[in-house]
Amino acid sequence: MTDRLIRLMRIITLVQARPGILARELAERCGTSERTIYRDMDALSAMHIPITHQGRGRGYTFIGHFAMYPLGLTEEEVQALYKFLPLMDDLKMALPDHFESAYEKVLAAVYKQSAEKAEIQSGDRELESEM
């Protein structure tokens, strides 16, 4: 049961970090089969986690404003994290154990923080234009 709970939390983190992630990619990252990912998605839906499949080849994303643990990173810190992403596969063997999962958790929070910040700024511009 503990392994499944950890996997469910990891799925939430991966979907938040990479909206549009495919079941195949989730299975690879979680070390399980695609069929298990489909069962996990059913379980997450049963727990009222607002996750949805966008259609064949378009992956999973969250409905609405669902998020886990937002961070208060500066824009420079966010850019540094995103610049490292393409290098991850090349450096995987040199990185310490569990680095990849920690990095994915941070990216998930960064993505959500950036999306919320853009939404707030958009709302502020709308309010200014109405005045």
Side-chain angles (χ1 to χ4, degrees), residues 2 9 18 26-27 38 45 54 61 63 68 72 85 98-100 102 106-107 119 121 125:
T2 303
M9 295 301 292
R18 298 178 182 199
L26 288 167
Y38 298 140
S45 291
Q54 300 181 92
T61 190
I63 300 167
M68 285 183 15
L85 189 59
H98 309 289
F99 179 85
E100 187 175 9
V106 171
L107 276 187
E119 185 176 274
Q121 289 173 344
R125 283 191 294 270

Side-chain angles (χ1 to χ4, degrees), residues 15 35 71 79 82 111 113:
V15 171
R35 182 68 199 130
L71 300 174
Q79 292 306 313
Y82 280 125
Y111 177 82
Q113 177 186 0

Side-chain angles (χ1 to χ4, degrees), residues 48-96:
H48 303 288
I49 303 295
I51 197 165
T52 187
H53 189 262
Q54 300 181 92
R56 184 171 172 84
R58 293 182 46 211
Y60 291 93
T61 190
F62 289 112
I63 300 167
H65 301 286
F66 182 84
M68 285 183 15
Y69 310 110
L71 300 174
L73 299 174
T74 67
E75 187 60 32
E76 294 79 13
E77 291 169 330
V78 170
Q79 292 306 313
L81 287 170
Y82 280 125
K83 285 181 182 176
F84 185 73
L85 189 59
L87 305 173
M88 182 75 86
D89 286 338
D90 296 336
L91 299 174
K92 202 176 279 192
M93 298 304 289
L95 296 172

Side-chain angles (χ1 to χ4, degrees), residues 4 8 13 22 27 35 39 42 50 52 54-55 60 77-78 86 97 106 117 129:
R4 185 168 194 209
L8 292 172
T13 300
L22 302 173
R35 182 68 199 130
R39 283 191 289 268
D42 289 341
T52 187
Q54 300 181 92
Y60 291 93
E77 291 169 330
V78 170
D97 292 342
V106 171
K117 184 177 178 181
S129 66

